Amino acid sequence: MATVRRPGGYVCGIDAAMDVIGGKWKVLILWALDERPHRFGELRRELPGVTEKVLASHLRELEADGIVHREEYDEVPPRVEYSLTPKGESLNAALEPLGAWGRENVLGDARRGARDGSAPARQVRVDDDVPLVPGRA
């Protein structure tokens, strides 16, 4: 069941969607879970820089919004896996054009800067395949 974390109504659909994916790490969590289910520690390693507190909070919010499913296994030691719900998969599909825009207009600018030798290019070459998260191909 979706939760409204902000008082009042939404102005438009984008406003409502941004309330669901707002936060520095939520989109990256969705991106990681799109590949396969992850345990908490795997997600933490996959997203360098996220704290346990923030990751746990974002996962709870995504679960409350019906985007992420939390599966608890009755094992010793206990095991919990997070995966996308169908609603989460459709959200990732909706975010794909935004990712394409970023690759073309932001990462593409970095690649163009690498061609002309400008400093902000961060040593990205035209033929480089630039990952969205450092350390991922």
Side-chain angles (χ1 to χ4, degrees), residues 67 84-95:
I67 305 298
L84 292 178
T85 64
K87 192 174 175 181
E89 291 171 0
S90 71
L91 178 56
N92 260 356
L95 290 171

Side-chain angles (χ1 to χ4, degrees), residues 26-81:
K26 284 185 180 179
V27 173
L28 295 176
I29 292 168
L30 293 172
W31 176 71
L33 292 177
D34 193 46
E35 293 184 356
R36 64 178 175 79
H38 283 70
R39 295 176 71 173
F40 185 87
E42 291 174 319
L43 276 173
R44 181 129 191 264
R45 286 187 296 275
E46 191 92 11
L47 307 172
V50 69
T51 64
E52 285 187 27
K53 180 180 177 181
V54 169
L55 181 57
S57 171
H58 282 347
L59 286 168
R60 276 193 302 275
E61 290 173 10
L62 289 167
E63 184 182 8
D65 287 327
I67 305 298
V68 168
H69 173 70
R70 182 178 191 268
E71 181 74 30
E72 295 181 40
Y73 294 91
D74 191 21
E75 299 175 355
V76 176
R79 178 171 58 113
V80 175
E81 281 188 346

